[in-house]
Amino acid sequence: MTAVPTVSDPRTATDSAFPKDAPAEDRLRFMLHHAVLAPSVLNTQPWRFAVEGSEVRLYADRSRQLHAVDPLGRALAVSCGAALMNLRLAAHHYGYLATCDLLPDPADADLLARLTLGSPVPVSADDDDALFHAIARRHTERRPFGPDPVAPGALLALRNEAEGEGIRLFAVEDADEKTALAELVAEAVRAQGVSPEHREELRAWLRSDHDPRPDGVPDGEQALDGRHTGDRMPAEAYAASVRRLAAEAPVLVVVASPQDDPPGWLQAGQALERVLLRATLLGLSASYLNPAVEVDAVRERLAGLVGGACPQVVLRMGYPVPRGGTPRRRVDDVSS
């Protein structure tokens, strides 16, 4: 096996470094740079990969499962499904057919998927390749969005991405319906806030901006009134903040699967990543409102709002507000 180029930040992996003449195992290892850029619950990155020949196996990393927030491993599987989608897009981008089997071994529940690299095919600049190029640009925006509504054509494009993976996407734009969904999210936040186990687990994945660990959510990525390290914001105050963000978002989105089981969770994760990548290409940003699917009593009521489908992810979406940057002196002040 040859040495596979690795980088400290997977976002800096470039096509020029792809080892196209190396064995399949090396090519797959390089593609993992893109797989690991998938979103995950609290940025836990709960995946492991095993590469052997032309095959890569995706495993759940149970050491990173949120046992209070996600006791069934639903969010873990959704996260791993998103990583699998990135791997599928990378194989396509680098010019290979790939087959994917979900849950291929009934005796090993942690083996979530197996992707096998096939024959080379001509590279084409199609929709999937456009999604691949959005992988490194996609990020979660936890701050308020601008007021501009999301165009109907953009919502249709997002819905088509989800439906292509067998998943339903519900867009909530009506003010009263957004308020009702925002109330459910706030109720779930309050319910989690009274649980010491939930509070400690969430706090364990918050990171100061000086924390060197490459996981969790840094303080600098949070909204001003979001959760921060060392902050003991009362659950009621945080619930009010989240409710406001949800109610004021241009659109709320629910990603729902036809069944509520591991295959459905993996299916939802793959669809979610396609939706988020398409949103990135459309100039949209997204942020999670997942307490609504983490508290069983609230999730049941949310299912009633989406026609009985199985809600897996709740998002708020909109156009990010330009942040500018640090101030600069005028040219007149620094030139003669």
Side-chain angles (χ1 to χ4, degrees):
M1 185 175 67
T2 58
V4 180
T6 59
V7 291
S8 58
D9 183 351
R11 288 182 179 82
T12 63
T14 61
D15 285 356
S16 62
F18 178 67
K20 61 181 180 179
D21 297 322
E25 186 169 336
D26 296 338
R27 286 176 265 140
L28 280 169
R29 288 185 185 279
F30 186 86
M31 293 177 195
L32 293 181
H33 286 106
H34 306 290
V36 300
L37 293 179
S40 59
V41 54
L42 284 181
N43 196 26
T44 50
Q45 303 168 49
W47 42 65
R48 293 186 297 111
F49 300 91
V51 182
E52 185 176 351
S54 60
E55 176 182 290
V56 57
R57 297 185 299 278
L58 168 61
Y59 291 89
D61 185 345
R62 299 295 175 185
S63 70
R64 291 174 169 268
Q65 182 174 342
L66 304 173
H67 291 285
V69 172
D70 182 34
L72 298 179
R74 182 191 296 122
L76 180 150
V78 170
S79 301
C80 288
L84 179 62
M85 175 52 67
N86 280 3
L87 187 58
R88 287 173 52 192
L89 292 171
H92 175 82
H93 170 75
Y94 288 114
Y96 297 93
L97 293 174
T99 58
C100 184
D101 299 312
L102 298 184
L103 302 165
D105 185 354
D108 187 352
D110 286 348
L111 176 54
L112 301 181
R114 178 175 57 218
L115 182 139
T116 304
L117 207 60
S119 304
V121 293
V123 178
S124 59
D126 57 10
D127 279 352
D128 276 10
D129 200 51
L131 294 181
F132 170 84
H133 287 289
I135 289 174
R137 292 167 44 204
R138 182 215 60 79
H139 70 281
T140 301
E141 176 55 80
R142 296 172 178 84
R143 301 174 182 86
F145 298 130
D148 292 343
V150 178
L155 292 175
L156 177 61
L158 300 181
R159 190 173 289 112
N160 287 342
E161 293 292 352
E163 291 178 353
E165 296 295 322
I167 294 298
R168 300 184 67 184
L169 183 146
F170 299 87
V172 180
E173 297 178 277
D174 175 79
D176 290 340
E177 292 178 355
K178 282 194 298 181
T179 297
L181 182 47
E183 291 285 2
L184 287 181
V185 176
E187 179 181 336
V189 169
R190 289 192 293 268
Q192 290 181 333
V194 300
S195 164
E197 294 81 10
H198 279 81
R199 291 199 305 269
E200 288 306 312
E201 190 169 71
L202 293 170
R203 194 172 294 127
W205 289 94
L206 300 178
R207 303 282 185 260
S208 76
D209 291 332
H210 305 293
D211 193 318
R213 287 175 289 181
D215 55 19
V217 184
D219 288 344
E221 293 294 320
Q222 301 280 16
L224 288 177
D225 51 359
R227 291 189 174 103
H228 297 82
T229 54
D231 187 359
R232 299 294 185 268
M233 179 185 291
E236 188 62 48
Y238 183 60
S241 170
V242 173
R243 181 194 178 283
R244 183 171 60 254
L245 284 173
E248 294 177 355
V251 64
L252 301 181
V253 167
V254 181
V255 175
S257 60
Q259 69 245 21
D260 196 25
D261 57 12
W265 305 340
L266 288 167
Q267 192 179 1
Q270 293 178 86
L272 168 68
E273 182 66 338
R274 293 189 72 94
V275 167
L276 293 173
L277 295 175
R278 179 61 61 191
T280 299
L281 293 174
L282 293 169
L284 292 164
S285 288
S287 184
Y288 293 87
L289 299 170
N290 272 358
V293 296
E294 294 166 353
V295 175
D296 289 344
V298 174
R299 187 170 185 255
E300 290 176 6
R301 288 156 58 197
L302 175 60
L305 296 181
V306 293
C310 306
Q312 307 297 352
V313 178
V314 182
L315 302 163
R316 61 184 180 92
M317 278 191 173
Y319 297 98
V321 177
R323 303 294 171 189
T326 55
R328 293 294 183 270
R329 291 179 292 163
R330 298 181 304 166
V331 171
D332 289 348
D333 294 334
V334 297
S335 63
S336 59

